[in-house]
Amino acid sequence: MRLQLSAEDQAFREEMREFFTTQVPQDIRDTMINHGEITRDQIVRSQQALNAAGLAVPGWPVEWGGKDWTQLQRHIWHEEMQLAGVIPPLAFNASMVGPVIATFGSQEIKERFLPATANLDIWWSQGFSEPDAGSDLAGLRTTAVRDGDHYVVNGQKTWTTLGQYGDWIFCLVRTDPDAPKKQMGISFLLIDMKTEGLTVRPIELIDGGHEVNEVFFDNVRVPVENLVGEENKGWTYAKFLLGNERVGIAQVGASQRNLATAKDKAKEMGVFDQYASRIVDLENQLNALELTALRVAAGSAGDKPHPASSVLKIKGSQLTQAVSDLFVDLEGPAAITSRETRIFLNNRKVSIYGGSNEIQRQIIAGTILGL
Amino acid sequence: MRLQLSAEDQAFREEMREFFTTQVPQDIRDTMINHGEITRDQIVRSQQALNAAGLAVPGWPVEWGGKDWTQLQRHIWHEEMQLAGVIPPLAFNASMVGPVIATFGSQEIKERFLPATANLDIWWSQGFSEPDAGSDLAGLRTTAVRDGDHYVVNGQKTWTTLGQYGDWIFCLVRTDPDAPKKQMGISFLLIDMKTEGLTVRPIELIDGGHEVNEVFFDNVRVPVENLVGEENKGWTYAKFLLGNERVGIAQVGASQRNLATAKDKAKEMGVFDQYASRIVDLENQLNALELTALRVAAGSAGDKPHPASSVLKIKGSQLTQAVSDLFVDLEGPAAITSRETRIFLNNRKVSIYGGSNEIQRQIIAGTILGL
Amino acid sequence: MDFTIDSEQKALVKAVRGLITNVYDSSETRREATATDPGFTAWEKLAEMGVLSLPFEASPVEVSLAAEELGKVIAPDPFVEAIVLAGGLIDALGTDEQKKQYVDAVAGGEILPILAWMEPGRRWSADASSVTFADGVLNGVKAPVVQAERADLLLVTAALPEGGTGVFLVEGATAVETTITNDGGRAATVTFGDTPAVQLGEGGDQTAAIESALDRARIAYAHEALGAMETALTTTVGYLKTRKQFGVTLNTFQALNHRAADMYVTLELARSTIMWATIVAADEDTTPEQLATAASHAALQTSVAGKHIGLDAIQLHGGIGMTAEYSVGHYASRLIAIEHLIGDADFHRARLAATVGDHDVFDPIG
Amino acid sequence: MDFTIDSEQKALVKAVRGLITNVYDSSETRREATATDPGFTAWEKLAEMGVLSLPFEASPVEVSLAAEELGKVIAPDPFVEAIVLAGGLIDALGTDEQKKQYVDAVAGGEILPILAWMEPGRRWSADASSVTFADGVLNGVKAPVVQAERADLLLVTAALPEGGTGVFLVEGATAVETTITNDGGRAATVTFGDTPAVQLGEGGDQTAAIESALDRARIAYAHEALGAMETALTTTVGYLKTRKQFGVTLNTFQALNHRAADMYVTLELARSTIMWATIVAADEDTTPEQLATAASHAALQTSVAGKHIGLDAIQLHGGIGMTAEYSVGHYASRLIAIEHLIGDADFHRARLAATVGDHDVFDPIG
């Protein structure tokens, strides 16, 4: 056991901190730290700044811009990024479709998409969830029927986050409706969102914002070369994608930064003493979460998700919400008009998406406890 | 809607308060209020004082000593009794076997048992739970086989509260092992605990106390005239018994009295300000509970249990435990030797017995919400 | 002690319910209403039915029953803000002449009055500090002021030169900057710069009357919240029964059912306290201190229960609960807003803590 | 940052586990041990194995690993009380001569030292107040003092005439009134009446050293609690898998499984903080302030997690969990006891609140 990072990791951490606090445009970091509205342009500029320094897609294979980092270094990278108020690389590109293409795609498809994906020249959207499926992802009904050199796609996706900015969308589609199990017969398809027959409809959320969308496919013709890997093997790639995203799942850096901001705010408002005990409780729990994330990062071998990932997801989402709740209460009567309240409402999503906390409990009970 | 009690109920309340605070021996009330150990003798003297005034078994038929009170009056009676630190009449006698005998027993059995039951000349024990049944009461396995004028009883009961003091025990026994459903073929039998073959073994609880017992039946011969009602109809009587006990289920008077004591204690120890917010929260919740109990009492018609009884059970047990927890924390370091900690540990039972809180949630979900 | 309502009150409930569920017949209708200024559409009908005259002509019981029905559909009309709070204050403090001038017009829906009492950086105090009155004019800033732009008459709390706080009437144009509130309503920052105003009533320190008016409003808000919580739970239960996942309806999953059961426990306990607070307010022997205690008990239950039920309603729905097209998210939004209009849980705990050591057992009917 | 333990440490864990699970091979064996004074039976074997010398010869890591193994079977032996706390204080403050006199004997199990620091009516303060030292004698009352009657050597904190608090050594008979603690241990009220005593170490105010010794003990207690929580959860999970009700095993009921999952979440988060606190204690650059912060973080996690896991373990068992013959109730009892030995959640929240405003983001490895 050792408290300090190794000299190497310590140097790595300082390098990251130095980069994030000096080389990413200040306007972007200020907007993040002050809970402002992030624009598409800011997300692109942020990722391109990272990518220029080779820091956008560390989890990818080295030949495609990745870094041969340890899990701990990837944790430090993510943590320092969040603490500095840097917008993390777009998850759809960096953590989702990128690794799938890099792992399962043909050389041709890799060359065609990976550089543009790392640099956010292509903005990817995710086409997984469907209206009637919810947590039951494999129950999807969007079909892709082969017609010569094309697939013809029909159906609907939903909860497509930031789909309004999307250039391309990676989709799970049903290519074999007669497969004996619903997990079979699914393929992983890349679709240009400008193709005829594809329409995006905004979904307004309860915070009044427009962050998710429905995407409709009406006889959308997709060239067969846009298939990733093999036909009907899409579920395997989807599981790989979903299991891949474990760095940063707890959003602990963001919550820590927010709690620090909340302290300043409480002091400014002259109510620090009243909230001190609540702040202590949150700091104590965030510290436990941060240390657990470190344990998971340090203890992860290879590409297997650590069984404690569900712990990080549950507690991480609860603390994101609890810190947000603190901001709302700090506002006092002004909460009724405050942006903090909209953020609080928006943050209800973090215990729902990416496998709801009920699903995570089910995973812990089943996989870890054997219940 | 009206805030005050009716003039009649107000007078009733004053009469009860007057009686409980002046006519029940002070030593008993002091022991209760100061969380002392209650003796068998104190329980008997308390009930006999109540019975002498006709206040021990108000829920019984008038001809057997009952009162033709409204549910609200029964609530007031119970509440004032608890606030005054009076030991409520022994539930096994007053709320369980008494009403069953009065409702389903023959005239002979009524005359034989009811007066002595009301006056606690007979101390009844309850023989319902069995070691392998838990919440699944109907899965009982103790058998009673007819042999001439007797039943021969074999098996084991457990969780028999205060069974060490018991004179008689009322038991659910299986008289027809071949009945098509497990709820059928059960009978309700009264057994003299001095009968040969019946042994009581103490169960020590985690607070170090001896409050529950196992009761073993080894060819215990019970005269057939000790059967209540009809053979194989015992489940009906048991359901009646279990549904009957809704007055006082929330123990709100006791919790209110305890919270008042806790306030005094916090003041004495000079830590009132530190605990004020927690005390407020408890008082707020107890007030909600008390008002809900009043609503239930006022809204109950006839003998149907009000659907909100499960609400009272869940919240009542949680608040009993929460007030107990406050006492432990007030003790500070002395908690490791304090009787309050043993009471706290003992109070874990209140969310387990009488239908655990998990069972109560199941009842609410199923019966009230239709889930 | 009697929690039942009489047949006239039942008829009132039925009438208000009929009216309001007709105006806001779906979540979509309500969304359309809040999308266009001033953000509510039932006002005239409520006036016609006499709902707006309840605080002046009936008891707090009728007021609360109406508020609860409005809460069940989270009607965006400012019944509590304008009628119970501002109207109630005119009724409580106004001179005969002022009452004559305003009460019928308020009850008739012709004049919408609003109380501007909250000040930036302060927390639900009944006294004013940053807005002052002197020499016939008001100066300072009030925020947030619900529906200030739509208001025909502002009642403004202001610090008096001689100490204490008075209520002042301002008609017509003031500097108002309006934003959409997080529950789809409107609130504004109102700036007074030498704004001429006359005091409501006989003058002098009116802090106690303001506090009591706030407490009555808190109780009415609590009933509005109660209605909202009830619908949020009913909607959630309905969803669990019908929504299928993994080939079965969600009520197959015991963990979700138990969460719903806990919501029911919370709802019924809150209901008892909130109903009781109304009965306390309606009782003629109630002192201002008793009213304050009852209002804080109701507000504390409302804050804690509103958050529990509102947020779990979203969680048990999953993604659909996050969308503006579906209803439950709006219920959660409104419940969070009410918490911060009536004073949050911390505020009411502190208010109750000031007296919790003065009594032994708290007796709600004593 | 490294949470892993080396092969020697793994061997230590294995050895301690082997020893202690042999001595306390069942819940029944432990009950028998606690039924007879002094209430523990592994002491000699722990001495033989060298476990009692760990605080003097090894790092806090080894101490914590041993404490955790003892916690897994809730061994009633006063390892933390006598060896980590009292022994640690002798080692930290004693003169060379005192150390020579006591350390080996303590490590060898020949002398059982106990620190008498808590005073009736006070809450976990490191300074003494009601026990005073003057003119070579102690006066006043200490309580509760764990295992005071069995102790061969009492270390007594006492207020000094010139201000500050010193640690004094008392050998042999003192007025001791022993009771059984709620977790089956022994604690006493110890009364000093002109009791002759000599100060440990060089004299003067020793409050800071006492505080650091308490903080090191808190971290060891936290590991003991961690071991207890782990067993409580494991036992509960095992019960859910095997116990049948309504004809099926309890793990058929999703609501119960989700409760167990929440216990696991609590356990793993507590584990991270508690392990980290040990690493902080083991680091040679750690300041007393950093040690105090780490200890309070660990203690706060321990209090909250211990209550959650201990009490839910009983609840998920049902009636059997309430009985002294079954194990989980004793785990809950010990967890509640530890909370009140190390300072409860309120105490540590207040302690952390004193500095929480001084830093921006709290960095556990900075």
Side-chain angles (χ1 to χ4, degrees):
Chain A
M1 290 187 167
R2 195 183 62 243
L3 182 60
Q4 288 81 11
L5 295 172
S6 67
E8 192 191 351
D9 287 335
Q10 185 61 39
F12 177 83
R13 189 193 205 192
E14 275 155 28
E15 184 195 328
M16 289 298 122
R17 188 168 291 185
E18 168 76 14
F19 178 84
F20 291 134
T21 54
T22 61
Q23 302 302 305
V24 174
Q26 187 72 33
D27 71 296
I28 296 175
R29 297 174 48 228
D30 287 345
T31 309
M32 281 289 274
I33 291 168
N34 299 320
H35 297 178
E37 298 265 12
I38 304 290
T39 63
R40 182 188 201 278
D41 169 67
Q42 286 177 314
I43 297 173
V44 172
R45 280 194 292 132
S46 182
Q47 181 157 340
Q48 291 182 347
L50 297 177
N51 196 44
L55 294 178
V57 290
W60 292 15
V62 174
E63 61 170 315
W64 297 107
K67 298 280 188 182
D68 204 11
W69 286 346
T70 62
Q71 285 290 332
L72 179 59
Q73 288 173 319
R74 282 177 65 180
H75 173 82
I76 292 169
W77 164 76
H78 192 271
E79 184 79 357
E80 291 298 327
M81 190 158 56
Q82 288 203 319
L83 285 174
V86 173
I87 307 171
L90 191 68
F92 311 112
N93 286 39
S95 312
M96 297 186 179
V97 75
V100 168
I101 291 175
T103 309
F104 303 104
S106 62
Q107 183 65 17
E108 190 199 328
I109 233 171
K110 286 180 190 170
E111 287 171 11
R112 187 172 157 208
F113 286 110
L114 286 181
T117 298
N119 204 46
L120 202 42
D121 296 327
I122 296 175
W123 182 300
W124 284 97
S125 292
Q126 182 180 23
F128 275 25
S129 295
E130 298 193 1
D132 288 326
S135 291
D136 180 16
L137 192 58
L140 63 90
R141 297 197 287 206
T142 297
T143 56
V145 178
R146 184 72 177 259
D147 178 28
D149 289 347
H150 287 77
Y151 289 104
V152 181
V153 178
N154 279 287
Q156 183 190 346
K157 297 290 178 182
T158 192
W159 310 128
T160 305
T161 301
L162 301 181
Q164 68 267 43
Y165 302 149
D167 300 311
W168 282 71
I169 184 167
F170 55 94
C171 290
L172 293 180
V173 293
R174 192 162 297 284
T175 36
D176 179 4
D178 303 323
K181 286 182 63 181
K182 64 184 174 183
Q183 285 82 2
M184 301 163 88
I186 292 174
S187 296
F188 195 105
L189 212 54
L190 310 179
I191 306 178
D192 187 334
M193 291 180 78
K194 290 181 292 297
T195 317
E196 199 184 324
L198 186 155
T199 47
V200 177
R201 192 183 82 88
I203 298 175
E204 189 186 328
L205 293 189
I206 52 172
D207 61 345
H210 168 206
E211 132 183 339
V212 293
N213 302 270
E214 294 177 290
V215 182
F216 297 89
F217 300 86
D218 179 15
N219 288 317
V220 174
R221 295 184 68 84
V222 181
V224 290
E225 61 261 32
N226 290 8
L227 179 76
V228 175
E230 294 176 50
E231 198 176 78
N232 297 331
K233 292 280 175 66
W235 187 247
T236 307
Y237 313 150
K239 278 200 301 183
F240 167 84
L241 180 154
L242 297 171
N244 200 39
E245 187 38 34
R246 61 184 186 276
V247 169
I249 195 175
Q251 297 290 325
V252 58
S255 288
Q256 287 175 317
R257 191 191 66 228
N258 282 330
L259 186 63
T261 307
K263 288 184 197 176
D264 291 342
K265 186 165 175 175
K267 286 178 194 165
E268 271 168 37
M269 301 182 77
V271 294
F272 189 84
D273 287 349
Q274 182 190 333
Y275 285 93
S277 181
R278 186 161 159 192
I279 289 169
V280 162
D281 246 342
L282 289 168
E283 189 158 288
N284 176 255
Q285 293 183 65
L286 274 172
N287 190 40
L289 183 68
E290 156 76 351
L291 292 162
T292 306
L294 277 167
R295 267 175 64 211
V296 170
S300 287
D303 284 333
K304 266 192 315 181
H306 191 284
S309 297
S310 291
V311 171
L312 299 180
K313 177 65 167 59
I314 290 175
K315 197 68 187 180
S317 62
Q318 288 171 340
L319 288 177
T320 295
Q321 293 172 342
V323 174
S324 190
D325 192 21
L326 173 63
F327 272 95
V328 173
D329 286 348
L330 283 174
E331 292 283 330
I336 65 166
T337 52
S338 169
R339 179 167 162 75
E340 296 301 342
T341 308
R342 291 199 295 285
I343 294 172
F344 172 82
L345 291 167
N346 183 275
N347 271 334
R348 307 322 304 171
K349 73 185 177 194
V350 300
S351 52
I352 295 171
Y353 69 19
S356 72
N357 283 4
E358 289 72 33
I359 296 282
Q360 303 300 334
R361 287 191 190 96
Q362 201 66 19
I363 291 171
I364 291 172
T367 310
I368 302 178
L369 302 179
L371 286 168
Chain B
M1 291 187 168
R2 194 184 61 247
L3 182 61
Q4 286 81 11
L5 295 173
S6 67
E8 193 190 351
D9 288 335
Q10 185 60 37
F12 177 82
R13 189 193 207 193
E14 275 155 29
E15 185 195 328
M16 290 297 123
R17 188 169 293 184
E18 168 76 13
F19 178 85
F20 291 134
T21 54
T22 62
Q23 303 301 307
V24 175
Q26 186 73 32
D27 72 294
I28 297 175
R29 297 174 48 226
D30 287 346
T31 310
M32 281 289 275
I33 290 168
N34 299 320
H35 297 179
E37 299 263 13
I38 304 288
T39 64
R40 182 191 202 277
D41 169 66
Q42 286 177 314
I43 298 173
V44 173
R45 281 194 290 131
S46 182
Q47 181 155 343
Q48 290 181 347
L50 297 177
N51 197 43
L55 295 177
V57 291
W60 292 14
V62 174
E63 60 170 314
W64 297 108
K67 298 281 188 181
D68 203 12
W69 287 345
T70 60
Q71 287 288 334
L72 178 59
Q73 287 173 321
R74 283 176 65 180
H75 173 82
I76 292 169
W77 164 78
H78 193 272
E79 183 80 358
E80 291 299 325
M81 191 158 56
Q82 289 203 320
L83 285 174
V86 172
I87 307 171
L90 191 67
F92 312 113
N93 287 38
S95 313
M96 297 185 180
V97 74
V100 167
I101 291 175
T103 308
F104 303 105
S106 63
Q107 184 64 18
E108 190 197 327
I109 235 171
K110 286 179 192 171
E111 286 170 12
R112 187 172 158 206
F113 287 110
L114 287 180
T117 299
N119 204 46
L120 202 41
D121 296 327
I122 297 175
W123 184 298
W124 284 97
S125 291
Q126 182 181 23
F128 275 23
S129 295
E130 297 193 1
D132 288 325
S135 291
D136 181 15
L137 192 57
L140 63 90
R141 297 196 287 206
T142 296
T143 56
V145 177
R146 184 71 178 261
D147 177 28
D149 288 344
H150 287 77
Y151 289 104
V152 181
V153 178
N154 280 287
Q156 184 191 343
K157 296 290 177 180
T158 192
W159 310 128
T160 306
T161 301
L162 301 182
Q164 68 267 41
Y165 301 149
D167 301 308
W168 282 72
I169 185 168
F170 55 92
C171 290
L172 293 180
V173 293
R174 191 162 298 284
T175 36
D176 180 3
D178 303 322
K181 286 181 65 183
K182 63 183 175 184
Q183 285 80 2
M184 300 163 90
I186 292 173
S187 295
F188 195 105
L189 213 53
L190 310 179
I191 306 178
D192 186 336
M193 291 180 77
K194 290 180 295 294
T195 316
E196 200 184 324
L198 187 155
T199 47
V200 177
R201 193 183 83 89
I203 298 174
E204 189 186 329
L205 292 189
I206 50 172
D207 61 345
H210 168 206
E211 136 184 335
V212 292
N213 302 270
E214 294 177 290
V215 182
F216 298 90
F217 301 84
D218 178 17
N219 288 318
V220 174
R221 294 184 67 84
V222 181
V224 291
E225 60 261 32
N226 290 7
L227 178 74
V228 176
E230 294 176 51
E231 198 178 78
N232 297 331
K233 291 280 176 63
W235 187 249
T236 308
Y237 313 149
K239 278 201 302 182
F240 167 85
L241 181 154
L242 296 170
N244 200 39
E245 189 35 34
R246 61 186 188 272
V247 170
I249 195 175
Q251 297 289 324
V252 58
S255 288
Q256 287 176 317
R257 191 192 65 230
N258 282 331
L259 186 62
T261 307
K263 287 183 197 177
D264 290 341
K265 187 166 175 172
K267 285 177 195 167
E268 271 167 37
M269 303 182 74
V271 294
F272 189 84
D273 287 350
Q274 184 188 331
Y275 285 92
S277 180
R278 186 161 158 191
I279 290 170
V280 162
D281 247 341
L282 289 168
E283 188 158 289
N284 177 254
Q285 292 181 67
L286 275 172
N287 190 41
L289 183 67
E290 156 76 351
L291 291 163
T292 305
L294 277 167
R295 267 175 64 210
V296 170
S300 288
D303 283 334
K304 266 191 315 181
H306 192 282
S309 297
S310 291
V311 172
L312 297 180
K313 177 67 166 59
I314 290 175
K315 197 69 188 181
S317 61
Q318 289 171 340
L319 288 176
T320 295
Q321 294 172 342
V323 173
S324 190
D325 192 21
L326 173 63
F327 271 95
V328 174
D329 287 348
L330 283 174
E331 291 284 329
I336 66 165
T337 53
S338 170
R339 178 167 162 76
E340 295 302 342
T341 308
R342 292 200 295 285
I343 294 173
F344 172 83
L345 291 167
N346 183 273
N347 271 333
R348 305 322 302 169
K349 73 185 177 195
V350 301
S351 52
I352 294 172
Y353 69 18
S356 72
N357 284 3
E358 290 71 33
I359 296 282
Q360 302 301 333
R361 286 191 190 95
Q362 201 68 17
I363 291 171
I364 291 172
T367 310
I368 301 178
L369 302 179
L371 285 166
Chain C
M1 194 68 191
D2 182 3
F3 284 100
T4 56
I5 59 173
D6 63 28
S7 57
E8 263 184 71
Q9 291 166 335
K10 280 181 190 156
L12 171 70
V13 166
K14 198 175 164 192
V16 176
R17 187 179 301 172
L19 184 160
I20 206 72
T21 56
N22 189 39
V23 175
Y24 303 111
D25 59 358
S26 71
S27 187
E28 196 46 44
T29 313
R30 182 187 177 278
R31 268 185 94 198
E32 282 164 18
T34 59
T36 318
D37 283 336
F40 55 93
T41 54
W43 204 246
E44 276 177 43
K45 288 186 178 144
L46 289 168
E48 277 166 30
M49 184 178 273
V51 175
L52 305 190
S53 68
L54 288 174
F56 315 111
E57 293 172 7
S59 86
V61 176
E62 284 74 22
V63 170
S64 290
L65 293 173
E68 198 167 320
E69 291 306 315
L70 299 182
K72 283 181 186 167
V73 298
I74 44 169
D77 305 77
F79 174 68
V80 179
E81 292 84 352
I83 304 304
V84 182
L85 182 52
L89 206 47
I90 295 170
D91 201 33
L93 279 181
T95 60
D96 287 348
E97 202 179 342
Q98 287 169 329
K99 286 201 231 179
K100 201 164 159 189
Q101 187 180 355
Y102 292 120
V103 168
D104 284 352
V106 167
E110 294 134 44
I111 288 182
L112 187 92
I114 285 292
L115 178 68
W117 63 288
M118 295 190 279
E119 298 179 349
R122 300 187 75 223
R123 290 174 177 268
W124 303 290
S125 317
D127 61 319
S129 152
S130 61
V131 170
T132 56
F133 176 83
D135 303 328
V137 295
L138 294 170
N139 278 289
V141 177
K142 290 283 182 185
V145 185
V146 173
Q147 287 293 355
E149 190 164 348
R150 167 64 187 80
D152 304 299
L153 175 67
L154 283 186
L155 284 70
V156 185
T157 59
L160 300 171
E162 67 272 23
T165 296
V167 181
F168 294 85
L169 301 173
V170 177
E171 281 189 71
T174 37
V176 165
E177 194 185 335
T178 294
T179 48
I180 307 286
T181 58
N182 294 310
D183 58 339
R186 305 290 184 279
T189 299
V190 183
T191 306
F192 301 95
D194 289 337
T195 310
V198 294
Q199 190 162 0
L200 179 67
E202 306 295 350
D205 181 23
Q206 298 169 323
T207 311
I210 299 166
E211 193 73 83
S212 285
L214 287 172
D215 284 327
R216 288 178 185 276
R218 284 173 175 132
I219 294 169
Y221 272 127
H223 276 273
E224 192 189 324
L226 183 61
M229 288 187 252
E230 187 176 315
T231 304
L233 176 58
T234 311
T235 306
T236 303
V237 168
Y239 189 77
L240 293 177
K241 283 182 196 169
T242 52
R243 166 73 171 171
K244 281 192 172 186
Q245 273 197 355
F246 304 103
V248 292
T249 53
L250 288 177
N251 65 353
T252 313
F253 301 105
Q254 191 191 38
L256 305 184
N257 293 350
H258 281 208
R259 294 271 289 276
D262 279 335
M263 291 164 75
Y264 178 79
V265 170
T266 294
L267 175 67
E268 287 307 308
L269 289 159
R271 186 193 302 283
S272 301
T273 299
I274 293 167
M275 284 171 70
W276 162 77
T278 286
I279 301 174
V280 170
D283 192 83
E284 55 190 15
D285 295 332
T286 294
T287 64
E289 292 73 26
Q290 289 171 325
L291 179 69
T293 298
S296 277
H297 270 289
L300 181 49
Q301 282 284 326
T302 300
S303 291
V304 175
K307 217 166 224 171
H308 174 196
I309 293 172
L311 301 184
D312 265 22
I314 294 175
Q315 182 70 24
L316 292 183
H317 274 81
I320 186 83
M322 290 290 300
T323 66
E325 285 179 35
Y326 195 77
S327 65
V328 290
H330 298 285
Y331 282 83
S333 300
R334 180 61 184 158
L335 287 165
I336 300 293
I338 288 175
E339 179 185 358
H340 291 92
L341 286 165
I342 66 181
D344 67 10
D346 270 1
F347 175 78
H348 287 289
R349 278 194 203 101
R351 206 167 174 238
L352 289 168
T355 59
V356 75
D358 300 342
H359 53 263
D360 188 50
V361 169
F362 181 73
D363 182 357
I365 56 175
Chain D
M1 193 66 190
D2 183 3
F3 286 98
T4 57
I5 59 173
D6 63 30
S7 59
E8 265 186 70
Q9 291 166 335
K10 278 182 191 157
L12 171 70
V13 167
K14 198 176 164 190
V16 176
R17 187 178 301 172
L19 183 160
I20 206 70
T21 55
N22 189 39
V23 176
Y24 303 111
D25 60 357
S26 71
S27 188
E28 196 48 42
T29 312
R30 182 187 178 277
R31 268 186 93 196
E32 282 164 18
T34 60
T36 319
D37 284 338
F40 55 93
T41 54
W43 204 245
E44 277 177 41
K45 288 186 176 144
L46 289 168
E48 277 165 30
M49 186 177 272
V51 175
L52 305 190
S53 68
L54 289 174
F56 315 111
E57 293 172 5
S59 86
V61 175
E62 284 74 21
V63 171
S64 290
L65 293 172
E68 197 167 320
E69 291 307 315
L70 300 182
K72 283 182 187 166
V73 299
I74 46 170
D77 305 76
F79 173 68
V80 179
E81 291 84 353
I83 304 304
V84 183
L85 181 53
L89 206 47
I90 294 170
D91 201 34
L93 278 181
T95 61
D96 287 348
E97 202 179 342
Q98 287 169 329
K99 286 201 232 181
K100 202 165 161 188
Q101 186 180 356
Y102 293 120
V103 167
D104 284 352
V106 167
E110 296 133 44
I111 288 183
L112 186 93
I114 284 293
L115 178 68
W117 64 288
M118 294 189 279
E119 299 179 348
R122 300 187 74 223
R123 296 176 114 73
W124 305 290
S125 318
D127 62 319
S129 150
S130 60
V131 170
T132 56
F133 176 84
D135 304 325
V137 296
L138 293 169
N139 278 290
V141 177
K142 291 283 183 185
V145 185
V146 173
Q147 288 292 356
E149 191 164 347
R150 167 66 187 80
D152 305 298
L153 175 67
L154 283 186
L155 284 72
V156 185
T157 60
L160 300 171
E162 67 272 24
T165 295
V167 180
F168 295 85
L169 300 174
V170 178
E171 282 189 70
T174 35
V176 166
E177 194 185 335
T178 295
T179 48
I180 308 286
T181 57
N182 294 309
D183 57 340
R186 305 292 185 277
T189 299
V190 184
T191 306
F192 302 95
D194 289 339
T195 310
V198 295
Q199 190 161 2
L200 179 69
E202 306 294 350
D205 180 24
Q206 298 168 322
T207 311
I210 300 167
E211 192 74 82
S212 284
L214 288 174
D215 283 328
R216 287 177 187 277
R218 285 173 175 132
I219 293 169
Y221 271 128
H223 277 272
E224 193 189 324
L226 183 61
M229 288 187 253
E230 187 174 315
T231 304
L233 176 58
T234 311
T235 307
T236 303
V237 167
Y239 189 78
L240 292 178
K241 283 180 195 170
T242 51
R243 166 74 171 170
K244 281 194 174 185
Q245 272 198 355
F246 304 101
V248 292
T249 52
L250 287 178
N251 66 353
T252 314
F253 300 103
Q254 190 191 38
L256 305 184
N257 293 350
H258 281 207
R259 294 272 288 276
D262 279 334
M263 290 163 75
Y264 178 79
V265 170
T266 293
L267 175 67
E268 287 308 308
L269 289 159
R271 186 193 301 282
S272 302
T273 299
I274 293 167
M275 286 170 70
W276 161 78
T278 285
I279 302 173
V280 171
D283 191 86
E284 55 190 15
D285 295 332
T286 293
T287 65
E289 292 73 27
Q290 287 170 327
L291 179 68
T293 297
S296 277
H297 270 289
L300 181 48
Q301 282 284 326
T302 300
S303 292
V304 175
K307 216 166 227 172
H308 174 195
I309 292 173
L311 301 184
D312 265 21
I314 295 176
Q315 182 71 23
L316 292 184
H317 274 82
I320 187 83
M322 289 289 301
T323 68
E325 285 178 36
Y326 195 78
S327 65
V328 290
H330 298 285
Y331 282 83
S333 299
R334 180 63 185 157
L335 287 165
I336 300 292
I338 289 176
E339 179 186 358
H340 292 93
L341 286 166
I342 65 180
D344 67 10
D346 270 3
F347 174 80
H348 288 288
R349 279 193 203 102
R351 205 166 175 239
L352 289 168
T355 59
V356 74
D358 299 344
H359 52 264
D360 187 49
V361 169
F362 180 74
D363 182 358
I365 55 176

